[in-house]
Amino acid sequence: MKKTFIVLKENYLRQIKSWSFITLVLAPFAFLIIMAGISYLEAKNSSDNDQIAVIRQVKKAPLNSYELKKQGIDVTSKYANITAAKKALKKDKIRVT
């Protein structure tokens, strides 16, 4: 049994010196660090103040503004029709995401 451990120790010490063994051990940590860095940069660059517009032509069905306000969405009737919204889009007062 003692000879088995000696053989295992010698093989381990021989394998640890190879680049493939070092890569096998260090690669998962490198990928974790890279992914954490990408996630951090993506979270830093994302905007929490994204705004969207809903334009309706027909005013028959009311827009449930109470539900929208409950979710933290502001409701405005600043632009009366699609042409006014398109003009504001051209003047960069609103943006398309």
Side-chain angles (χ1 to χ4, degrees):
M1 193 69 169
K2 189 174 183 180
K3 292 179 183 181
T4 305
F5 288 120
I6 292 172
V7 171
L8 284 174
K9 181 181 172 186
E10 290 297 321
N11 280 332
Y12 176 75
L13 291 176
R14 186 169 34 109
Q15 292 297 326
I16 201 168
K17 294 177 186 176
S18 69
W19 283 103
S20 60
F21 182 81
I22 293 170
T23 305
L24 181 70
V25 171
L26 296 180
F29 297 111
F31 285 122
L32 284 174
I33 291 170
I34 290 170
M35 288 308 205
I38 290 171
S39 298
Y40 173 75
L41 292 175
E42 190 66 32
K44 187 177 178 183
N45 290 334
S46 69
S47 174
D48 291 335
N49 196 13
D50 291 338
Q51 296 180 353
I52 61 167
V54 176
I55 301 171
R56 296 183 308 147
Q57 292 180 350
V58 181
K59 292 188 177 183
K60 289 181 182 177
L63 186 63
N64 195 349
S65 61
Y66 173 74
E67 288 294 324
L68 294 174
K69 286 181 181 180
K70 194 165 107 175
Q71 294 176 6
I73 300 172
D74 294 329
V75 177
T76 184
S77 58
K78 188 174 182 179
Y79 306 106
N81 53 25
I82 294 176
T83 57
K86 285 182 180 179
K87 286 179 184 177
L89 181 64
K90 287 181 183 177
K91 294 180 181 179
D92 288 333
K93 290 184 180 179
I94 58 176
R95 62 184 170 88
V96 177
T97 56

